[in-house]
Amino acid sequence: MFRDKCHIKKDDKVKILTGKDKGKIGKVLKVDRKNDRLLVENINVVKRHTKPSAQNRQGGIVESEATISWSNAMLMCNKCLSPIRVQMKQLDDGKKVRICRKCSEVIDA
Ligand SMILES: [Zn+2]
């Protein structure tokens, strides 16, 4: 069902498909493969109440991203500027890269 999930990597741009951030685009900060979750910059920002600490002497409310389910995000193609499905392609030197199924643009730099 989530056959494309393993193609999302850190620093990828993804589009959010559901939830309060639906339609937004963010950069992947962290991939949690074990739990099928992604941490995306400025997506699913939640307020957390914190106790005073060395970094934050006053404590209080801090905003930070919470992870989202992998299935709620789709990889963006820089050329198509839309969410796409990717295909794996092996280069002449044996390196595997991801390419856009729509425009054949190589996603990996
Ligand atoms: Zn494309």
Side-chain angles (χ1 to χ4, degrees):
M1 188 180 172
F2 305 138
R3 60 202 163 111
D4 286 334
K5 71 179 185 179
C6 59
H7 295 311
I8 294 177
K9 294 179 185 171
K10 190 173 174 277
D11 293 330
D12 278 346
K13 259 189 229 156
V14 293
K15 188 165 189 172
I16 309 306
L17 303 178
T18 55
K20 63 173 180 170
D21 293 311
K22 187 177 172 183
K24 282 193 195 170
I25 293 162
K27 193 176 89 169
V28 176
L29 300 174
K30 212 172 129 189
V31 178
D32 182 353
R33 289 180 192 280
K34 214 192 267 176
N35 298 310
D36 282 2
R37 295 188 80 80
L38 302 171
L39 194 66
V40 188
E41 193 173 43
N42 293 325
I43 300 298
N44 201 19
V45 174
V46 292
K47 289 191 171 107
R48 284 201 176 99
H49 295 268
T50 57
K51 285 177 185 164
S53 65
Q55 291 89 22
N56 186 350
R57 283 168 194 282
Q58 301 206 311
I61 298 167
V62 290
E63 292 192 340
S64 65
E65 292 95 351
T67 57
I68 59 164
S69 172
W70 224 318
S71 53
N72 292 344
M74 257 187 111
L75 188 61
M76 291 281 296
C77 170
N78 287 328
K79 210 171 169 190
C80 301
L81 297 176
S82 62
I84 47 116
R85 292 192 177 278
V86 293
Q87 227 173 346
M88 296 305 289
K89 190 186 168 191
Q90 197 158 15
L91 300 179
D92 295 337
D93 63 3
K95 199 180 149 199
K96 273 188 186 162
V97 294
R98 299 169 298 168
I99 59 168
C100 171
R101 232 176 249 188
K102 253 190 233 173
C103 69
S104 299
E105 176 85 349
V106 175
I107 311 282
D108 295 273

